[in-house]
Short mmCIF file of all heavy atoms in Angstrom, two decimals:
data_model
loop_
_atom_site.label_atom_id
_atom_site.label_comp_id
_atom_site.label_asym_id
_atom_site.label_seq_id
_atom_site.Cartn_x
_atom_site.Cartn_y
_atom_site.Cartn_z
N ILE A 34 45.50 -145.40 25.51
CA ILE A 34 45.98 -145.43 24.12
C ILE A 34 47.13 -144.44 23.96
O ILE A 34 47.33 -143.57 24.79
CB ILE A 34 44.85 -145.08 23.12
CG1 ILE A 34 44.35 -143.67 23.33
CG2 ILE A 34 43.72 -146.06 23.21
CD1 ILE A 34 43.50 -143.17 22.23
N THR A 35 47.85 -144.61 22.85
CA THR A 35 48.89 -143.63 22.48
C THR A 35 48.38 -142.83 21.30
O THR A 35 47.49 -143.26 20.57
CB THR A 35 50.20 -144.32 22.10
OG1 THR A 35 49.94 -145.19 20.98
CG2 THR A 35 50.74 -145.15 23.26
N LEU A 36 48.92 -141.65 21.10
CA LEU A 36 48.44 -140.73 20.08
C LEU A 36 49.25 -140.80 18.77
O LEU A 36 49.08 -139.96 17.91
CB LEU A 36 48.50 -139.30 20.61
CG LEU A 36 47.55 -139.00 21.75
CD1 LEU A 36 47.80 -137.60 22.29
CD2 LEU A 36 46.12 -139.15 21.30
N GLU A 37 50.09 -141.74 18.63
CA GLU A 37 50.97 -141.79 17.47
C GLU A 37 50.22 -142.06 16.16
O GLU A 37 50.56 -141.49 15.13
CB GLU A 37 52.02 -142.86 17.67
CG GLU A 37 52.93 -142.58 18.86
CD GLU A 37 53.77 -143.77 19.24
OE1 GLU A 37 53.62 -144.83 18.63
OE2 GLU A 37 54.57 -143.65 20.17
N ASP A 38 49.23 -142.92 16.17
CA ASP A 38 48.63 -143.38 14.92
C ASP A 38 47.19 -142.88 14.68
O ASP A 38 46.53 -143.40 13.81
CB ASP A 38 48.58 -144.93 14.92
CG ASP A 38 49.98 -145.52 15.01
OD1 ASP A 38 50.93 -144.89 14.50
OD2 ASP A 38 50.10 -146.60 15.59
N ILE A 39 46.74 -141.88 15.44
CA ILE A 39 45.35 -141.43 15.26
C ILE A 39 45.31 -139.95 15.00
O ILE A 39 46.21 -139.21 15.36
CB ILE A 39 44.48 -141.82 16.46
CG1 ILE A 39 45.03 -141.21 17.75
CG2 ILE A 39 44.35 -143.31 16.59
CD1 ILE A 39 44.15 -141.43 18.93
N ASP A 40 44.21 -139.50 14.43
CA ASP A 40 44.02 -138.09 14.10
C ASP A 40 42.98 -137.44 14.99
O ASP A 40 42.01 -136.85 14.53
CB ASP A 40 43.53 -137.97 12.63
CG ASP A 40 44.69 -137.73 11.69
OD1 ASP A 40 45.79 -137.47 12.14
OD2 ASP A 40 44.45 -137.83 10.47
N ILE A 41 43.16 -137.55 16.29
CA ILE A 41 42.23 -136.95 17.24
C ILE A 41 43.02 -136.05 18.19
O ILE A 41 44.14 -136.37 18.57
CB ILE A 41 41.47 -138.03 18.06
CG1 ILE A 41 40.65 -138.91 17.13
CG2 ILE A 41 40.55 -137.42 19.09
CD1 ILE A 41 39.96 -140.07 17.80
N LYS A 42 42.43 -134.93 18.58
CA LYS A 42 43.10 -134.03 19.51
C LYS A 42 43.32 -134.69 20.86
O LYS A 42 42.46 -135.41 21.34
CB LYS A 42 42.28 -132.76 19.67
CG LYS A 42 42.15 -131.93 18.43
CD LYS A 42 41.27 -130.75 18.70
CE LYS A 42 41.01 -129.97 17.42
NZ LYS A 42 40.04 -128.90 17.65
N LYS A 43 44.42 -134.39 21.47
CA LYS A 43 44.78 -134.98 22.74
C LYS A 43 43.75 -134.61 23.83
O LYS A 43 43.43 -135.44 24.69
CB LYS A 43 46.17 -134.50 23.16
CG LYS A 43 46.71 -135.13 24.40
CD LYS A 43 48.14 -134.70 24.66
CE LYS A 43 48.68 -135.36 25.91
NZ LYS A 43 50.05 -135.01 26.17
N THR A 44 43.22 -133.40 23.80
CA THR A 44 42.26 -132.97 24.82
C THR A 44 40.95 -133.75 24.74
O THR A 44 40.26 -133.89 25.75
CB THR A 44 41.98 -131.48 24.71
OG1 THR A 44 41.53 -131.18 23.39
CG2 THR A 44 43.22 -130.66 24.99
N GLU A 45 40.58 -134.23 23.56
CA GLU A 45 39.33 -134.99 23.42
C GLU A 45 39.43 -136.39 23.99
O GLU A 45 38.44 -137.04 24.27
CB GLU A 45 38.97 -135.10 21.94
CG GLU A 45 38.57 -133.80 21.31
CD GLU A 45 38.26 -133.93 19.83
OE1 GLU A 45 38.14 -135.07 19.36
OE2 GLU A 45 38.12 -132.89 19.19
N LEU A 46 40.66 -136.89 24.18
CA LEU A 46 40.87 -138.26 24.64
C LEU A 46 41.17 -138.35 26.13
O LEU A 46 41.32 -139.46 26.65
CB LEU A 46 42.02 -138.89 23.85
CG LEU A 46 41.77 -139.12 22.39
CD1 LEU A 46 43.05 -139.54 21.69
CD2 LEU A 46 40.70 -140.17 22.18
N TYR A 47 41.29 -137.25 26.85
CA TYR A 47 41.70 -137.32 28.24
C TYR A 47 40.67 -138.01 29.11
O TYR A 47 39.48 -137.70 29.06
CB TYR A 47 41.97 -135.91 28.78
CG TYR A 47 42.55 -135.93 30.18
CD1 TYR A 47 43.88 -136.25 30.37
CD2 TYR A 47 41.75 -135.67 31.27
CE1 TYR A 47 44.43 -136.29 31.64
CE2 TYR A 47 42.27 -135.72 32.55
CZ TYR A 47 43.61 -136.04 32.73
OH TYR A 47 44.13 -136.09 33.99
#
Side-chain angles (χ1 to χ4, degrees):
I34 63 167
T35 60
L36 295 174
E37 297 167 358
D38 299 328
I39 59 174
D40 266 349
I41 299 177
K42 294 178 186 174
K43 186 175 181 178
T44 56
E45 293 178 10
L46 294 171
Y47 186 77

